[in-house]
Structure formats: structure tokens, C-alpha cells
Amino acid sequence: MDDNDELEFVEEDYYAFLNVPRNATPEEISSAYRNFSRMYHPDKHTDVRNKEKAEMMFNRTKKAYEVLSDPHQRAIYDSLGNKGLQTEGWELIQRTRTPAEIREEYERLAREREERRLQQKTNPRGNITVQINATDIFSRYEDDYYDDGGLLPTIEVSGMSMSQSIEAPLSRTDTATLSGNLHLQNGVGSGNFLLSGRRLINKGWFEVDCGAGSGPVLGLKGSRNLTNRLFLNGGTTVNFRQNAIIPGIAGTLAIQLDKHTVGYLTYNAGLQSSMSTTIEHSTEKYHYNLSATLGIPHCYLTASYTRKLVEQELKLRVALKGGTFGFLAEYGAEKKVSKYSSVVATVSVGVPTGVTLKVKIIRSTQTYLFPIHLSEEIIPAAIFYATVAPLLTYFVVKKTIIDPMNEAAKHRNIEKVKETNRSRIAEKRREAESAIALMGAMYERIRNDEQKRKGLVIVAASYGKFNADENVSVEQRDEMGFVQHNPNVIDVRIPLQCLVKDSRLQLYGSTKSELPGFYDPCFGEEKLLRIDYEFRERSYTVVVADNEDIKLPENGQTVQS
């Protein structure tokens, strides 16, 4: 279920090409540039073919150095990559800005573009709720007059509601919205529609609504920033019914208490009146909410806490609610399954509501909610199955449906990228072959020096797609026993030996395919780097992932000065 329909493009990684970390100092960048310049400078090669290859490699080395040594270009490159440097208008940015300010500006622009793209793709917005009554599973209904006789419990849809809205931007400041909803509960249906017009004004907005449902409805809403930390929004509605005119008013005053905390004071008056106070605190790792409500017909207190596990794309939530209506406890989790899709499962246990399992599927701005009422009383078996069933269902669906769909979409995207970047990938291969051809003299010199001092000698090195425990080779035998080239593996012994300095080899945490003499033999696949080397007349083997740091000799293998 891959939501990312944007094609990736082969980007040059200047840090990997110079073999420096992304936080490299100007001195480290200059040192790397000097080392590669000595190897690739055209004046050092007399052969005509090698001279042409040297010019190509020297120009790329010079380009990498020019970008990374200029704080302005480096900040743009770090934020947007090569496409940021190629976009017209960047040269108009004031060079007096610090790299951090430039990076922050471009990150903000990138987020805004992504938000605009998402908004354009996902209109209209919708919500579907299907209420399911499954109480017969844990508490069978017995009828004295009718013989049930059914082996399976009765599960029925007790209610359903649907809402949809479409936004139509009229100008930079004006937006029209058409929305409607239908609701069905126990065979009785109702619905309404609403047409809204919103205009942005200085420090806020105002909106006019008109619609129909249980009689015509007119409304007026607005919002305004009173200060940098204080804002107010509110509105009033008038519902014209057959025998009455029902007014309503609502308003919220909010204040930014600190960087992560906001306080709200809300008042509602109409068919149901209430006043509530809310404190909301949110950071990258957690979110909590405390609220107290005084109203008619109920008064209650609410507290919720959400833990955000960013790396796992998972949120864990617990909530408590108690008041004149009774008591309710909730716990659940939200898991992101693709770029725009998430699944939420929540278990509600309360008095007098009983046990309810709520399953929500969020697909961009389309939401599908399934409240499943399992029991009218607090039954341990219902709580257990409400907790375990969603977990088992998720893992089964993930393994049988989501993962295969994502894998298929990934391969389709890889094939599209390969086709789009076919010439660039071929150019990278020719560039790697040219770099190796220019490394001959340096390779022999470094290898001889390391052998004399019994230092770090690269015996064999392979890069590409293979199993970590297999004896990988750039050649393989086919089903008939004939030896042929392995298209997924390349020999990188020479370029790695040329990166050895004073019996040390260090590669940083970025794709190795951008190193001089390397290229990507299996684009889009997970790759490994295997190095067989000798150090102090002893043999060693190390296998690392593509984006993993590596430092040879490893810990415990001392280097003599």
C-alpha cells in the first residue's frame, strides 16, 4: 500500500564521494579534496584516454568541493540536495544568513510544498462511521417466546453515518466549502448539508454558513489572533425548526503558555450548554491533555496521555473520563502503515457503556471508523478479545496483504526509477570504471607500503546484493555449470585500498555507491560490503550494511605508529 507515487532520482552524494561525514569541518573537506585532486588531476596522466577520464573525475571532485566548501551552497544542498542548487532564485537569498537559517528556511518551504501537494491530491474529505452491535458474542440474548436455536451469535449494524466535504478555492483569500452528512440509527435516518464561505483577513478569518437539515440553518464564525500568544475564535448559529427557533453560540479563548503548552477556555450555549477548561502539552515524544467540563446534562473530567514512538511510527494512548454520566477508560495504539495511511485500535471500558472496540482506518483525509460494541457490562473475556484480536488481525493482514502490496509497489517504483535514470546509472558505471583505471599507480604504491609495514592490505572486497554468510564473488556458475558475471556484485578491492591511509580505512554512514570506483549494481535493493583484509600478518573478514560506518582495523587490532 505504497502512497509515494513520486519517482526517485539518482542524486550525487558529495559527502560520500569525498568520503567525509555530513558534519565534516572545512579542514576535513579541504584535505579530502587535495587527496583526490592529486590522483585525478589531468596533468598527472599522459595517456590520452586516461587524461579524458581524469578530467571527468577531477571536474566532479572540484564540483563536490565547491558545494561543500561554500556555507551557502552547502546549506541548500543539505536541505534539498542537488535539485535545490539547480533551482532558479536561490542566488537571491541574502548571503548574510547563517547556514542554519538557510537550512531552516528551505526545510519550511519543503514542508509547505508537501502540504500543498497532499491537499490537492486528497480533496474531498470524508468520514464514514459504521456502528456494530456484537454484544450477543459474550452475552447471548435469551427469548422466552422465540426459540433462538442459532449456533452463531448475532452481529448487526446498529447505525451508520457518512460525511463528505469539498473545498473550492475562489481566490487567495476566499474559499467555498460544500459539506453534507447522513445518519442512520436503528432504522431512523436524518441528514443535512452546509454551504460555507471563508475569507482570510488580517490576523484571522471569518466564515458565513447556510444549510438545511432539521430546518434551515444560518451561521457566522470567525477567528482572530489578539496577540502573538492569544487567539479567539467563536460563532453563532440559528436553526429554524417547524415550531421553534433555536439559537446557539460557541467560543474558545486560547493562550500559548509556553513552547509546547496551550490552554483553552471554551463556552457553548444552545440545546446543550457547557463550559470547559483544557490544558494541552505536546512534544515530539509525548502529548497529554487535561480537561474539566461543567455542563448540562453532564459534568466530567478527562485526562489522556499519548506516547509517540517516532522511529517505529507508532503512538500509544491511554485516557480516563469520569463524571455524572459514569466512568470510561480507554487504551489503544495508532500505527502508520504507509506514507498517508494509518490504523488505530482503541478499547473502551466503562460504566454504563460496557466494552467497545473502536477500529479506525485513516487513508489520507478519508477516515473509516468502526465502533464494535462487545458487551453492555464489563466482562473480562470481552476486554481480553478486544485487546488481542486487533493485534493478531493486524499482523496477519500485514504479512498477507500490506507487506506484499508494499513490496510489489516498491519493485514497480524501482523499475520506473531505473527507466527514468537509465542513462545516469550507466554514466555512474562508466565513471566508476574510469576512476579505477586512474587508481592503478596509487593502488600499487599504497599496497606495497602497507605490505612492507605489515599494515592494512585489502585482499578482496565485494559490494552489492548477497547474503552476509555466503562466499560472494563477482563471478557465479549458472544452472549448466558455466561461469558468468554476477550482475548484482562488483569488485571494489582497488578503490578501497586507495582509501587506506596510515594503515587505517574509514567509511562514513552513507551509501557506498557514491565512493570513487563504486557504483550501484542493483538499484533499489539492500546492499552489503564485504572486505577480506590482512593486518599484522593475520586475516580478517568484515561485512557491513550499505549505510553503516566502518573503521578498519577494528577494535582490538592496534596500529603501530
Side-chain angles (χ1 to χ4, degrees):
M1 202 159 51
D2 187 6
D3 295 306
N4 187 9
D5 57 3
E6 289 185 345
L7 293 182
E8 300 176 19
F9 293 89
V10 177
E11 279 265 357
E12 290 185 283
D13 189 333
Y14 295 140
Y15 291 100
F17 182 78
L18 295 179
N19 193 32
V20 294
R22 301 195 74 83
N23 60 350
T25 64
E27 292 75 17
E28 291 174 324
I29 294 172
S30 296
S31 176
Y33 170 67
R34 289 193 300 269
N35 290 336
F36 285 115
S37 295
R38 284 194 291 267
M39 180 165 46
Y40 299 135
H41 200 286
D43 293 345
K44 294 185 176 294
H45 302 274
T46 56
D47 182 82
V48 177
R49 291 186 178 181
N50 284 346
K51 199 174 188 68
E52 292 177 355
K53 296 174 181 178
E55 287 178 355
M56 178 181 65
M57 295 302 299
F58 181 75
N59 289 335
R60 187 179 176 195
T61 304
K62 185 178 178 181
K63 177 62 176 177
Y65 174 71
E66 288 175 349
V67 172
L68 299 186
S69 62
D70 185 328
H72 178 77
Q73 293 191 63
R74 184 177 179 181
I76 298 173
Y77 175 75
D78 286 348
S79 299
L80 295 177
N82 228 8
K83 63 181 181 293
L85 297 170
Q86 297 169 357
T87 303
E88 295 181 0
W90 295 150
E91 65 276 6
L92 301 179
I93 297 293
Q94 294 182 0
R95 287 182 174 267
T96 55
R97 290 189 179 185
T98 65
E101 290 173 338
I102 295 174
R103 188 174 294 110
E104 183 178 353
E105 175 70 7
Y106 282 97
E107 287 174 350
R108 182 185 66 80
L109 293 174
R111 288 195 300 269
E112 289 180 355
R113 281 195 300 274
E114 177 65 18
E115 291 172 358
R116 286 196 299 269
R117 174 181 175 275
L118 176 60
Q119 185 177 7
Q120 293 169 356
K121 279 188 61 176
T122 58
N123 279 336
R125 302 171 184 269
N127 190 315
I128 298 177
T129 300
V130 180
Q131 298 174 350
I132 300 173
N133 185 351
T135 56
D136 197 38
I137 295 177
F138 298 97
S139 180
R140 298 299 297 270
Y141 178 71
E142 297 181 1
D143 196 323
D144 294 335
Y145 298 97
Y146 297 96
D147 183 13
D148 188 14
L151 297 178
L152 298 177
T154 301
I155 300 176
E156 61 182 8
V157 175
S158 59
M160 180 181 293
S161 62
M162 302 174 62
S163 64
Q164 196 79 15
S165 68
I166 299 176
E167 290 186 359
L170 304 178
S171 67
R172 295 182 62 183
T173 59
D174 299 325
T175 304
T177 303
L178 179 64
S179 61
N181 68 73
L182 296 173
H183 180 72
L184 179 66
Q185 186 71 36
N186 295 325
V188 179
S190 62
N192 62 67
F193 77 91
L194 192 68
L195 177 63
S196 305
R198 174 176 294 192
R199 164 164 289 188
L200 300 178
I201 58 175
N202 186 31
K203 296 183 179 181
W205 54 268
F206 73 89
E207 180 178 293
V208 178
D209 303 330
C210 62
S214 299
V217 176
L218 296 176
L220 182 65
K221 301 175 184 177
S223 177
R224 184 173 180 82
N225 295 331
L226 304 179
T227 66
N228 291 334
R229 300 177 58 188
L230 190 67
F231 71 87
L232 174 68
N233 63 47
T236 181
T237 60
V238 179
N239 189 349
F240 299 91
R241 296 194 176 183
Q242 186 174 1
N243 299 318
I245 298 177
I246 302 176
I249 187 172
T252 298
L253 180 66
I255 181 171
Q256 188 82 36
L257 301 177
D258 61 35
K259 182 179 180 180
H260 301 288
T261 308
V262 181
Y264 300 92
L265 180 62
T266 302
Y267 176 74
N268 289 286
L271 288 177
Q272 294 185 349
S273 300
S274 65
M275 176 175 286
S276 64
T277 301
T278 303
I279 299 293
E280 189 173 282
H281 183 86
S282 182
T283 67
E284 293 182 355
K285 294 185 177 181
Y286 64 90
H287 171 276
Y288 69 77
N289 181 296
L290 301 174
S291 178
T293 300
L294 299 175
I296 300 174
H298 294 298
C299 302
Y300 52 88
L301 298 174
T302 304
S304 67
Y305 176 82
T306 301
R307 184 76 169 94
K308 305 174 185 177
L309 304 176
V310 180
E311 294 183 358
Q312 292 79 16
E313 296 183 325
L314 178 67
K315 296 180 182 178
L316 304 176
R317 179 178 178 273
V318 293
L320 297 173
K321 185 176 181 179
T324 56
F325 69 92
F327 173 80
L328 182 68
E330 290 186 346
Y331 58 91
E334 176 180 343
K335 173 65 177 177
K336 189 173 182 179
V337 294
S338 65
K339 188 173 182 180
Y340 298 129
S341 302
S342 301
V343 176
V344 185
T346 303
V347 180
S348 298
V349 181
V351 176
T353 55
V355 180
T356 301
L357 170 63
K358 299 176 183 177
V359 178
K360 181 189 294 185
I361 301 173
I362 303 172
R363 175 70 174 173
S364 189
T365 53
Q366 303 291 320
T367 302
Y368 307 90
L369 178 62
F370 302 90
I372 306 172
H373 195 190
L374 297 177
S375 67
E376 296 179 351
E377 299 177 350
I378 299 179
I379 300 176
I383 298 174
F384 174 79
Y385 284 105
T387 304
V388 174
L391 293 175
L392 294 178
T393 303
Y394 170 75
F395 285 115
V396 171
V397 172
K398 183 176 184 297
K399 292 295 183 182
T400 59
I401 299 177
I402 296 177
D403 286 351
M405 289 178 63
N406 282 341
E407 191 66 22
K410 175 184 174 183
H411 286 297
R412 287 196 302 270
N413 192 50
I414 289 174
E415 291 304 317
K416 290 180 181 179
V417 173
K418 285 182 178 179
E419 185 64 32
T420 304
N421 298 279
R422 189 174 299 278
S423 60
R424 177 59 181 150
I425 293 173
E427 180 186 344
K428 293 285 291 181
R429 179 172 181 171
R430 291 193 297 268
E431 184 181 278
E433 293 171 348
S434 298
I436 293 176
L438 298 172
M439 293 176 179
M442 177 174 284
Y443 167 76
E444 293 296 338
R445 178 178 59 80
I446 294 177
R447 182 180 175 86
N448 291 335
D449 290 345
E450 293 297 325
Q451 286 178 334
K452 290 178 182 178
R453 69 169 69 177
K454 298 179 181 179
L456 181 60
V457 178
I458 307 297
V459 178
S462 300
Y463 173 71
K465 181 183 178 182
F466 53 87
N467 294 326
D469 55 352
E470 72 174 295
N471 187 15
V472 64
S473 173
V474 295
E475 294 182 345
Q476 62 181 6
R477 292 187 179 274
D478 60 16
E479 296 179 353
M480 301 296 295
F482 296 103
V483 177
Q484 61 181 7
H485 177 72
N486 186 346
N488 294 322
V489 179
I490 59 175
D491 185 348
V492 292
R493 172 175 54 91
I494 293 176
L496 284 183
Q497 186 70 70
C498 289
L499 292 174
V500 173
K501 184 177 181 180
D502 298 329
S503 298
R504 292 183 176 89
L505 172 65
Q506 182 160 6
L507 306 178
Y508 297 96
S510 56
T511 176
K512 309 297 184 293
S513 63
E514 289 291 319
L515 288 168
F518 282 63
Y519 67 92
D520 193 337
C522 46
F523 188 84
E525 304 288 347
E526 293 185 1
K527 291 170 282 293
L528 297 175
L529 173 62
R530 175 185 172 125
I531 305 175
D532 298 318
Y533 65 97
E534 293 179 354
F535 182 73
R536 299 292 180 257
E537 297 184 327
R538 296 186 63 182
S539 298
Y540 303 92
T541 298
V542 60
V543 179
V544 297
D546 188 23
N547 293 305
E548 187 177 345
D549 288 343
I550 181 172
K551 189 173 183 180
L552 300 180
E554 296 182 294
N555 294 336
Q557 302 168 12
T558 59
V559 177
Q560 299 176 358
S561 58

